[in-house]
Amino acid sequence: MCRVVDLRQAVLAKNDASALELREHLAARGTAEVNLLSSPGSGKTALLERLLERAVEAGIAVAAVTADLATENDARRLARAGAPVKQVLTDGLCHLEAGMLRGHLDGWLPADTRVLFVENVGNLVCPASYDLGESLRIVLVSVTEGEDKPLKYPTAFGLAQLVVITKTDIAAAVEFDAEAFHRNVRRVNPGVPVLATSARTGAGVDDLLARVLDCADGEPVHRPVYESASATRGTAEAP
């Protein structure tokens, strides 16, 4: 058991060092990275497509990397927005790692990119422990997933700098209890902003893009008080 724990710590320490290098690299070129995490079926891709569309319409230089175990379906879908998009196939790995991401960005990411969106692999377990050098970490959850999601995945929600509720246009139909959800979010991450959105109606999309751009302009983001033995934020130290 000790060897397993030591190996995990070594892997995370290596990732944290790579994340720190990537964060410094992106900052030097004026690019803010936004790490999007969610369960499968949360509507993450649909919302990201709307964000890219709004940004392109406004003349904002954005790009997106989308990660999946297989298929390039999401990349083809996101490319319809007119922004540079790259698909990363993880070949069975359940998360992105900083070094892997850096390898896909080198020689591809346009020099003038103001915001890089990274659509992580769809799950809230493995990706939560891996810093990708992001400026903003967003955790998304749909109204169909249950109000207790933050309690079931405390690391993911506890390290979020922004929580986004998706598919709010059907909240009444599925009897989503917004008050209970907000209460549960506060239990694991006091003070984290929560934003309601709908890719279908466009509700909250402009507000979300504005928050992302504020981050890109250097506005301070929420600093989670949650401390995890399996993740560090913005440091190369081992957990």
Side-chain angles (χ1 to χ4, degrees), residues 17 34 51 72 74 79 87 109 130 132 135 191 193 205-206:
V34 179
L51 284 171
E72 297 188 357
D74 286 352
Q87 180 77 55
L109 187 65
Y130 286 82
L132 296 183
S135 302
V205 175
D206 288 335

Side-chain angles (χ1 to χ4, degrees), residues 37-47 119 140-145 165-167:
L37 296 86
S38 78
S39 299
S42 69
K44 180 166 76 268
T45 304
L47 185 59
E119 183 181 20
L140 303 92
V141 59
S142 76
V143 298
T144 61
E145 294 181 66
I165 306 172
T166 63
K167 305 183 183 181

Side-chain angles (χ1 to χ4, degrees), residues 204-239:
V205 175
D206 288 335
D207 289 341
L208 178 54
L209 181 58
R211 288 175 183 260
V212 168
L213 294 177
D214 284 344
C215 174
D217 289 339
E219 292 291 325
V221 298
H222 172 70
R223 297 182 64 86
V225 297
Y226 183 91
E227 291 186 3
S228 170
S230 61
T232 57
R233 311 292 300 136
T235 174
E237 293 180 4

Side-chain angles (χ1 to χ4, degrees), residues 29-190:
R29 54 177 289 158
T31 301
E33 180 197 324
V34 179
N35 186 6
L36 304 172
L37 296 86
S38 78
S39 299
S42 69
K44 180 166 76 268
T45 304
L47 185 59
L48 178 53
E49 185 178 3
R50 299 293 172 264
L51 284 171
L52 294 176
E53 289 173 349
R54 298 290 175 85
V56 170
E57 290 170 359
I60 301 166
V62 295
V65 169
T66 180
D68 277 304
L69 276 67
T71 83
E72 297 188 357
N73 294 344
D74 286 352
R76 285 193 291 267
R77 180 176 176 182
L78 294 175
R80 298 183 303 197
V85 176
K86 185 165 190 176
Q87 180 77 55
V88 174
L89 298 180
T90 63
D91 294 325
L93 193 64
C94 63
H95 59 275
L96 280 174
E97 296 181 4
M100 179 194 310
L101 177 60
R102 175 69 181 271
H104 284 279
L105 297 181
D106 288 343
W108 170 79
L109 187 65
D112 64 343
T113 304
R114 184 177 176 191
V115 178
L116 169 66
F117 291 97
V118 177
E119 183 181 20
N120 218 316
V121 179
N123 78 82
L124 288 175
V125 183
C126 304
S129 296
Y130 286 82
D131 185 350
L132 296 183
E134 66 264 21
S135 302
L136 179 64
R137 176 179 287 212
I138 301 177
V139 174
L140 303 92
V141 59
S142 76
V143 298
T144 61
E145 294 181 66
E147 297 81 3
D148 61 347
K149 201 79 170 186
L151 304 182
K152 291 181 176 179
Y153 299 91
T155 300
F157 283 89
L159 291 172
Q161 293 166 308
L162 175 64
V163 173
V164 171
I165 306 172
T166 63
K167 305 183 183 181
T168 56
D169 53 292
I170 61 171
V174 299
E175 300 182 345
F176 177 68
D177 189 337
E179 183 177 344
F181 177 78
H182 282 262
R183 183 168 60 249
N184 290 332
V185 170
R186 290 194 298 269
R187 285 181 61 182
V188 298
N189 195 343

